[in-house]
Amino acid sequence: MRLRLFLFCCCVFVAHVVGAQSKTYSLGFFTGIISPYSFDQGINSDPRYRTKYDLKFAPIGVSFGIDFPRYGLLFSPGIVNTGQNYFIVNNRGGHEGIQKTNLQYLAVPLAAKFYLIDLTFFKVSAVTGVSAALLLNGRQLITHDAGLFRFQDELYPILPNTYTPMADGVQAPKVNSFTMAEKTDFKNTQLFVLLGIRSDWNASEDWRVSFDMRVNFGLLDPRTNSYQDKIARYQTLYSLPGSRHEFFAQLTVGVSRYVVIKPKAKAAKSKKRFVPKKYPSVRSSRQGPK
């Protein structure tokens, strides 16, 4: 279903490309930063975690755009890094470490632009679309100092020997880059919906600078079904059951070269006017010479 939806959007994109309207083509590259956030029910109910806000690098992407008189289309594949990090807190709320999550995707967004301001040298557009993403790398690590933490009661049976249950929590040893999940624990594909605003500035007759701010919401839980089942059976030491969706805000700056193509005027076809042939009247043909 996800692939069919994306292919349908691509067909609409191609249909507009071959249209006969006046259009501007652009080809360029962009880079930017990402601010990720995870809607994770398990972590939200886990007293061992506290939200940490970070910025991640979106190294590079390429863009191909087509602008029509009132709207435009934009195809902009690129690398994105998402996944939220969390502070590890002890049973008194003190910070003892950090949990790092990084999901790197090759994202292939297809977006439509609707002009809010449309001037010769400057455009502001509302942007909406969908993005198919292929997982390139995924990892979830945890590092914390020795301390007293509140583990869920269902996790006590799988506590290692170095973890000691106490009256007010579990005394845990120092942990350094413990792997909670790796690439095989995450789904290979993801589908995002996006919404944002974009501005395009004409730097010269041939070059354009753009600033693009988008929010992206992942429709699928990024973890595999088998890994979610493992969490649901309380077989993971630092994860609790609950759905999860990735969300990230993305700010990019791009440079592109563009060219305006106007439709060719159709040659007017000459039409011959039908003129009925005149024949002599019957009366005049019967009259003889005087």
Side-chain angles (χ1 to χ4, degrees), residues 233-249:
R233 294 194 299 268
Y234 293 95
Q235 295 181 355
T236 53
L237 194 59
Y238 287 97
S239 299
L240 294 182
S243 64
R244 174 177 166 186
H245 291 276
E246 296 296 334
F247 169 91
F248 66 91

Side-chain angles (χ1 to χ4, degrees), residues 33-268:
I33 55 175
I34 287 173
S35 177
Y37 182 82
S38 296
F39 294 96
D40 193 317
Q41 293 180 347
I43 286 183
N44 290 341
S45 62
D46 196 328
R48 296 171 295 179
Y49 295 105
R50 182 170 295 166
T51 301
K52 184 178 187 297
Y53 297 100
D54 296 281
L55 294 177
K56 297 190 176 184
F57 189 40
I60 195 167
V62 295
S63 63
F64 174 67
I66 303 177
D67 293 336
F68 299 97
R70 296 183 181 87
Y71 63 97
L73 298 170
L74 188 63
F75 180 68
S76 52
I79 304 296
V80 297
N81 293 302
T82 184
Q84 188 172 2
N85 300 333
Y86 294 89
F87 290 113
I88 309 300
V89 297
N90 57 30
N91 63 345
R92 295 184 178 181
H95 291 183
E96 297 288 356
I98 190 172
Q99 185 231 84
K100 293 184 178 181
T101 303
N102 186 63
L103 299 174
Q104 187 178 72
Y105 290 100
L106 171 61
V108 186
L110 179 62
K113 304 185 299 180
F114 301 95
Y115 301 139
L116 305 176
I117 300 176
D118 189 2
L119 303 177
T120 304
F121 63 95
F122 171 64
K123 299 180 187 294
V124 175
S125 314
V127 180
T128 184
V130 295
S131 175
L134 176 66
L135 181 68
L136 300 179
N137 196 13
R139 204 170 187 190
Q140 196 168 356
L141 303 175
I142 189 168
T143 298
H144 66 72
D145 294 329
L148 192 63
F149 302 94
R150 293 180 180 176
F151 281 72
Q152 198 85 356
D153 292 343
E154 290 84 351
L155 296 174
Y156 278 44
I158 66 168
L159 288 176
N161 296 332
T162 52
Y163 288 68
T164 306
M166 309 288 286
D168 53 351
V170 174
Q171 183 65 39
K174 182 177 180 179
V175 172
N176 186 25
S177 298
F178 172 75
T179 300
M180 298 173 58
E182 50 191 1
K183 183 180 178 182
T184 55
D185 296 317
F186 297 98
K187 294 176 181 175
N188 290 326
T189 59
Q190 178 63 274
L191 186 65
F192 294 96
V193 293
L194 61 93
L195 183 67
I197 190 166
R198 178 185 177 92
S199 64
D200 295 285
W201 302 74
N202 290 359
S204 68
E205 294 183 356
D206 300 318
W207 293 92
R208 175 180 296 170
V209 178
S210 62
F211 300 89
D212 198 314
M213 176 67 183
R214 302 181 185 182
V215 290
N216 301 260
F217 182 75
L219 299 181
L220 309 174
D221 192 310
R223 301 165 297 183
T224 61
N225 294 335
S226 59
Y227 185 67
Q228 292 183 66
D229 291 340
K230 187 177 178 181
I231 297 174
R233 294 194 299 268
Y234 293 95
Q235 295 181 355
T236 53
L237 194 59
Y238 287 97
S239 299
L240 294 182
S243 64
R244 174 177 166 186
H245 291 276
E246 296 296 334
F247 169 91
F248 66 91
Q250 181 179 14
L251 175 64
T252 60
V253 179
V255 177
S256 59
R257 182 178 173 85
Y258 68 99
V259 59
V260 179
I261 297 180
K262 296 182 178 180
K264 296 180 180 179
K266 295 183 178 179

